[in-house]
Amino acid sequence: MKKLLFIFFLFLLAGAAVRGEDGAYIGVNIGTAMSSVPAPTQITTLLRSQNIRHVRLYDADPAMLAALANTGIRVIVSVPNEQLLAIGNSNATAANWVAKNVVAHFPGVNITAIAVGSEVLSTQPNMAPLLMPAMRYLQNALVAAALDRYIKISTPHSSSIILDSFPPSQAFFNRSLDSVLVPMLKFLQSTGSPLMLNVYPYYDYMRSNGVIPLDYALFRPLPPNKEAVDANTLLHYTNVFDAVVDAAYFAMAYLNVTNVPVMVTETGWPHKGDSSSEPDATSDNADTYNSNLIRHVMNSTGTPKHPGVAVPTFIYELYDEDTRPGSTSEKYWGLFDMNGVPAYALHLTGSGVLLANDTTNQTYCVAREGADPKMLQAALDWACGPGKVDCSVLMQGQPCYDPDTVEAHATYAFNAYYHGMGMGSGTCYFSGVAVITTTDPSHGSCAYSGKNGSALLNGTSLAPSSNSTEGGSGAHRAIGDVSSLAGVVSTALLLSVLLL
């Protein structure tokens, strides 16, 4: 009987592994392109205060590894691109690298993977022939040290290596890379390692010239008729992130590889950019993208192709990097500034205890700019009626009557309902005419519920069913090289159904 129970227990564990229930986590990249890099101990203090349990380093800095020792934080160390030549040409050099940067720190430092290079195939194609030898030599060293069962080896790719990424079912890898990708996928398959992929919906959106809606890039909920549908599989896509991840799965399947998981090693949204050329690099959009991303991943939502299978994901990145070259936004992808001060507020209701930079009690639900006035009026009527919001302050002569516009009155009612319902998931949607912001809309004597605000509800009422669930060094990321022109053009044409 005990044996049968043990076998049943193993069966349950195996089922959980297949469904990805144990793989849901969010990590953070730690870049160092800053004029004043925080001390390693400061970095680990910040990580622990924010309950960040997974990090990716762009190198294997011994001081940083020493600071991470005995913290329990899971760490991906990296072989910088400039070291590939030496390691890819010498088994002994690879063995020395592992001895110095892994064996010397493990298990005090919970190293879980080695990222070999970064976006080599798209940014330094002349180095491509060195990737597989480097990965094999490093694997040999892990095997010799009996660490191969604990530490995996892979290499982060730009999503630009995937061509015709929408519909995902038709995606395939750039065939000119087959000589590297085919043996690499077999290597990942044989070692149980993930395909590391950098996914940047921000750039896909920016390069689509308006064809990809901002809501689709930001994980905002879409009505069914606005979702992108893969005509071959009839799978519905509500965000760019899932579409790119599934494109990678389909591209691997095209090469007869179906059991290599995808790990997203970089994704995020800049919170500041040039006002004329990067108008959507804003704090509100960064908050929306990263908050929705965190919920999406931590809930093990999976993707349409693999629902319920978690996609481990690393946010780009922990700190703003003021010495990065390129456009203004390149310096402002951080969750924090160099002093550890939050770069913007995150709205993380429903994400658990990850990131203490959760300022949900300082967020507001407002009318979306440019929303249809008739839809706003209908939503306002519902909030003040079935929604049981106390709208008496909107009457003439009352504190929130002015300005007497449907947008202003709707903003008050939406926010009162949102806070009255505990800022729960889906309570700031109103058929798509409401949006969460960190900017307090209070004015004059009209105070909006927010931090320490009152509920302002006359009772309890749920929103109508239409309220969907709301959803290192300068070389470590190729500036702007995140999606191929061919892929973007194809995606733009096929996503045009979203605007019909």
Side-chain angles (χ1 to χ4, degrees), residues 462-477:
L462 295 177
S465 59
S466 60
N467 280 25
S468 312
T469 300
E470 179 186 341
S473 66
H476 61 246
R477 182 167 62 86

Side-chain angles (χ1 to χ4, degrees), residues 150-413:
Y150 308 107
I151 301 171
K152 302 302 179 182
I153 291 178
S154 188
T155 181
H157 298 287
S158 164
S159 61
S160 66
I161 68 170
I162 304 171
L163 304 184
D164 291 336
S165 58
F166 200 93
S169 62
Q170 292 182 190
F172 57 94
F173 292 120
N174 186 334
R175 299 307 302 272
S176 68
L177 303 174
D178 277 5
S179 62
V180 176
L181 280 175
V182 171
M184 180 181 296
L185 291 173
K186 291 181 178 178
F187 172 88
L188 299 179
Q189 195 171 36
S190 66
T191 59
S193 302
L195 176 75
M196 293 179 170
L197 191 68
N198 296 341
V199 179
Y200 283 102
Y202 172 74
Y203 287 117
D204 291 328
Y205 164 73
M206 288 285 287
R207 294 178 177 181
S208 74
N209 294 318
V211 174
I212 295 178
L214 182 60
D215 285 353
Y216 185 70
L218 292 173
F219 288 94
R220 283 182 180 142
L222 299 170
N225 66 326
K226 293 292 186 181
E227 294 175 356
V229 180
D230 187 324
N232 299 314
T233 61
L234 299 184
L235 293 174
H236 286 236
Y237 288 87
T238 60
N239 61 81
V240 174
F241 181 91
D242 282 351
V244 175
V245 171
D246 271 1
Y249 278 122
F250 278 108
M252 284 192 285
Y254 185 81
L255 296 176
N256 298 315
V257 175
T258 58
N259 57 352
V260 172
V262 171
M263 170 188 285
V264 174
T265 37
E266 292 180 21
T267 192
W269 198 279
H271 62 86
K272 184 178 179 180
D274 183 88
S275 58
S276 60
S277 60
E278 303 170 303
D280 295 296
T282 66
S283 293
D284 281 350
N285 286 344
D287 163 24
T288 299
Y289 181 82
N290 282 325
S291 297
N292 287 339
L293 168 78
I294 291 169
R295 277 192 294 272
H296 186 70
V297 172
M298 297 300 286
N299 291 339
S300 292
T301 305
T303 65
K305 180 172 172 57
H306 292 300
V309 177
V311 182
T313 299
F314 289 77
I315 292 176
Y316 183 88
E317 60 186 331
L318 186 62
Y319 294 109
D320 283 338
E321 294 185 292
D322 63 331
T323 63
R324 281 190 60 82
S327 60
T328 301
S329 66
E330 287 297 323
K331 307 177 191 301
Y332 297 105
W333 289 77
L335 297 173
F336 300 88
D337 68 15
M338 290 180 288
N339 298 313
V341 176
Y344 53 90
L346 284 173
H347 178 267
L348 296 175
T349 297
S351 69
V353 297
L354 176 72
L355 284 166
N357 176 29
D358 180 350
T359 52
T360 51
N361 63 338
Q362 298 178 37
T363 56
Y364 304 85
C365 181
V366 301
R368 186 189 297 278
E369 185 177 354
D372 185 300
K374 292 182 179 178
M375 292 185 67
L376 278 178
Q377 186 63 58
L380 170 61
D381 293 342
W382 183 89
C384 294
K388 300 189 181 301
V389 171
D390 181 359
C391 293
S392 61
V393 294
L394 300 176
M395 302 297 290
Q396 189 169 7
Q398 296 303 307
C400 297
Y401 174 75
D402 290 321
D404 182 18
T405 65
V406 66
E407 181 177 358
H409 287 190
T411 287
Y412 180 88

